[in-house]
Amino acid sequence: MALALVFLLYTISMALVMLERRGMAAVSFIVALVTSLLVYAHFATSHLDISL
Amino acid sequence: MTVVRDQDDPLVPPVVTLLFWMNVIALYLIVVVLASAFYFEFVRRELPCPLCLLQRAAFCAMGVGIMMNLKFGFSPRHYGVILLGACTGMIFAARQVLLHIVPGTGAYGSPVFGLHYYTWDVLVFGIAIALCAFVLMFNRQFDQRHLRRLSFVPMLAIVLMLALTGANAVATLLECGFQVCPDPPRDFQLLPPKFSIQPGQPS
């Protein structure tokens, strides 16, 4: 679901660019980028055994 | 920074016109990449894995920066947006390459022109980073903010990009449902079994 949210946020960001709302588009872009990095971090660490 | 509308100024520097059309071509290339990903998903019946979806999202991030360049004129900030998208995409794609780099560990999905989708992505994101760095050296594009009235060709690229990103949001929701995306994916979570398709199997 988080991945779908990432795409939705990028869609919103693009729509805001078309509506000439650059500031809000930038905010939406940053939230989408951070969310995608968090999703990546989840999948990158989910297979690790860190119970040292 | 002064703002100049190109239709009022016949003396637009050639470099600005060249870079404008380079941005349009780049946006069309991203549209082709996203459309081909849908082709593999729905025609070749290979469900994208979470890392594949993240790479698609990185292409969308680059698209946001390019659309800002086309809509608001050139700015280092907009190139920064493109670079952020390309760098994150490079991280995602490189990780997937490394997951399959050891002989015998298989691959995900079928190859395209001899290379897998994620290997192509490493090359494309690398080229995008290099191109952005190169283009940022042309200072004249930032002297004035050149605003263009978008003609049909760039507007079509923007509309297609917007539609494909929205379609990815819907397709991802159908694949993952309201939970963490399964890795590897087995089926569309929100579609009945008759729409079932096979995920990309290790080859």
Side-chain angles (χ1 to χ4, degrees):
Chain A
M1 174 154 182
L3 271 169
L5 181 68
V6 169
F7 283 112
L8 182 65
L9 283 166
Y10 281 135
T11 310
I12 291 170
S13 183
M14 289 175 187
L16 288 168
V17 168
M18 291 310 295
L19 295 171
E20 303 196 348
R21 308 266 182 187
R22 190 166 61 159
M24 290 170 70
V27 170
S28 180
F29 171 83
I30 290 167
V31 174
L33 194 74
V34 171
T35 309
S36 69
L37 286 170
L38 289 174
V39 171
Y40 170 70
H42 169 79
F43 283 107
T45 57
S46 61
H47 300 304
L48 297 179
D49 181 10
I50 52 174
S51 56
L52 296 174
Chain B
M1 182 186 288
T2 53
V3 177
V4 176
R5 296 193 177 276
D6 280 6
Q7 56 268 32
D8 305 328
D9 178 16
L11 298 174
V12 180
V15 68
V16 172
T17 305
L18 176 69
L19 291 176
F20 177 84
W21 286 106
M22 277 179 67
N23 273 270
V24 173
I25 291 169
L27 198 57
Y28 270 111
L29 288 177
I30 293 176
V31 165
V32 168
V33 168
L34 292 177
S36 65
F38 270 128
Y39 168 79
F40 275 90
E41 182 172 349
F42 292 106
V43 180
R44 300 279 294 270
R45 296 174 175 265
E46 295 178 5
L47 275 181
C49 60
L51 273 174
C52 312
L53 290 170
L54 282 168
Q55 287 158 55
R56 287 190 199 181
F59 278 113
C60 296
M62 287 173 61
V64 173
I66 295 172
M67 283 171 68
M68 284 179 166
N69 263 343
L70 298 178
K71 192 73 183 168
F72 302 115
F74 299 112
S75 161
R77 291 177 184 176
H78 303 160
Y79 285 112
V81 169
I82 300 172
L83 278 172
L84 276 173
C87 287
T88 52
M90 176 70 103
I91 292 169
F92 304 148
R95 176 178 168 80
Q96 198 166 7
V97 168
L98 292 175
L99 283 175
H100 301 292
I101 202 166
V102 177
T105 51
Y108 194 86
S110 49
V112 183
F113 301 120
L115 296 178
H116 287 275
Y117 194 87
Y118 40 87
T119 313
W120 280 116
D121 281 356
V122 170
L123 295 172
V124 171
F125 287 125
I127 291 169
I129 291 168
L131 267 179
C132 268
F134 181 71
V135 164
L136 276 168
M137 287 191 261
F138 294 92
N139 274 335
R140 281 196 71 187
Q141 62 180 312
F142 306 125
D143 289 347
Q144 294 174 322
R145 183 70 59 78
H146 294 273
L147 299 182
R148 282 172 180 264
R149 187 180 296 141
L150 295 177
S151 59
F152 174 75
V153 175
M155 191 54 92
L156 178 66
I158 287 172
V159 169
L160 286 174
M161 185 74 216
L162 193 55
L164 280 169
T165 309
N168 264 300
V170 175
T172 306
L173 187 65
L174 290 176
E175 180 186 329
C176 303
F178 298 99
Q179 56 191 358
V180 177
C181 286
D183 185 19
R186 293 291 170 207
D187 212 341
F188 281 107
Q189 303 291 320
L190 295 186
L191 287 181
K194 67 176 181 179
F195 294 105
S196 168
I197 59 177
Q198 293 298 313
Q201 293 295 327
S203 57

